[in-house]
Amino acid sequence: MTDAGAKLDRDSALTFPIALSDGRMVASIDEAANLFHALSETQRSSNHWRIAIRMLDNAIREPSYLKTATLSLQTALAMDGRLDHLNEAPAAVTE
């Protein structure tokens, strides 16, 4: 949990690291910002990315939003099929 008086900067860690399907890990605000910067204009204008970007901006100004920002980033990545675990084969069901 983030300290009420703490300030976030580009080196601050996200609430949890997010594994991408290309093998990279997004674990800090700087890595998330770089990911946002690399988005195409079309991606950036989609609702899920607009929300993720806005929530990270809110978290930088108000650290108590960091968990919501991290979850929004994870959701945007999932919606674009970019999360590592989304590409795994389903687990076999045993009875």
Side-chain angles (χ1 to χ4, degrees):
M1 190 73 21
T2 306
D3 182 340
K7 297 290 183 197
L8 300 177
D9 60 26
R10 289 184 74 94
D11 294 327
S12 297
L14 296 176
T15 306
F16 53 87
I18 302 170
L20 303 180
S21 59
D22 65 4
R24 291 181 298 150
M25 187 73 71
V26 179
S28 70
I29 289 176
D30 184 56
E31 291 165 343
N34 289 338
L35 190 143
F36 293 153
H37 182 70
L39 294 173
S40 70
E41 196 60 42
T42 302
Q43 287 173 308
R44 206 174 290 127
S45 66
S46 66
N47 284 332
H48 55 280
W49 284 112
R50 287 183 21 218
I51 291 167
I53 292 166
R54 184 176 40 209
M55 293 313 307
L56 188 62
D57 184 53
N58 288 339
I60 290 169
R61 288 184 276 126
E62 177 52 60
S64 64
Y65 292 121
L66 184 59
K67 186 171 188 174
T68 302
T70 304
L71 289 168
S72 295
L73 172 58
Q74 182 182 46
T75 299
L77 289 163
M79 291 184 76
D80 278 5
R82 296 177 63 184
L83 290 183
D84 184 42
H85 70 277
L86 293 179
N87 296 319
E88 295 174 359
V93 177
T94 58
E95 296 185 33

